[in-house]
Amino acid sequence: MKYLYWALPIAAALAYGVWRHYAAQVYVGDLPPFDLHLYGFREAQTYLAGLTPAAKAIYLGPLHLVDSLLMFCLAATLVLPIWRWDWPWFLPAMLYVGLDLVENGKVAGLLRGGLCLPADVENVALVTGLKFAALGLAAALALWSLWRKQRMRG
């Protein structure tokens, strides 16, 4: 078990590094990928119009693949400190995974469709915001658990 405490965060950090590499290739000017920004309709249109076919292929291919790997490694890392608790404590990490999967699907739809409606962009922004809220709560629970374990030992 102690190896997981080191292996999962290292795997998440490596996946994040690879993710950042691919994410850097899908910026349009100073506009980042959808996963990093809560877009308004006009910004989303500008972003989608400026995305080259090569960048779109990277976004839909390696970036989404590495994003999934990162999401699962990060969720497992956040669940590990609280794995002995009752199941409701896992919900924020699981919600993060679910919302990230939904976000990836919605973004893929925008990228494949080219044009979008204001409601499409609002849905992606809502899911992205909720994803980061769930991730923040899961991280807070994991840190709190680690802090409690450290206090009990010391």
Side-chain angles (χ1 to χ4, degrees):
M1 183 62 121
K2 87 175 181 183
Y3 293 111
L4 282 178
Y5 274 100
W6 290 102
L8 283 171
I10 289 169
L14 289 172
Y16 178 72
V18 174
W19 184 90
R20 287 298 295 180
H21 167 74
Y22 287 117
Q25 297 177 42
V26 297
Y27 272 70
V28 172
D30 63 341
L31 294 174
F34 282 95
D35 304 76
L36 295 176
H37 188 68
L38 300 177
Y39 276 97
F41 180 63
R42 297 254 184 248
E43 271 186 317
Q45 284 183 313
T46 301
Y47 180 81
L48 291 170
L51 202 59
T52 67
K56 192 181 292 189
I58 289 169
Y59 206 141
L60 290 170
L63 183 63
H64 273 188
L65 179 65
V66 173
D67 184 58
S68 296
L69 176 65
L70 172 62
M71 163 189 39
F72 287 116
C73 287
L74 188 54
T77 299
L78 295 173
V79 165
L80 195 58
I82 58 175
W83 74 277
R84 290 187 176 150
W85 297 6
D86 287 334
W87 68 268
W89 295 99
F90 297 101
L91 288 179
M94 298 303 102
L95 183 60
Y96 160 68
V97 168
L99 289 168
D100 202 354
L101 289 170
V102 169
E103 176 192 50
N104 288 348
K106 289 184 175 296
V107 168
L110 288 178
L111 294 173
R112 287 187 183 108
L115 299 174
C116 56
L117 300 172
D120 298 332
V121 176
E122 289 169 8
N123 286 335
V124 170
L126 175 65
V127 172
T128 300
L130 291 172
K131 172 189 80 169
F132 282 119
L135 178 60
L137 182 56
L141 285 170
L143 289 171
W144 180 62
S145 177
L146 291 171
W147 176 78
R148 279 185 55 209
K149 286 177 185 178
Q150 188 64 29
R151 264 187 101 208
M152 291 175 152
R153 286 183 196 148

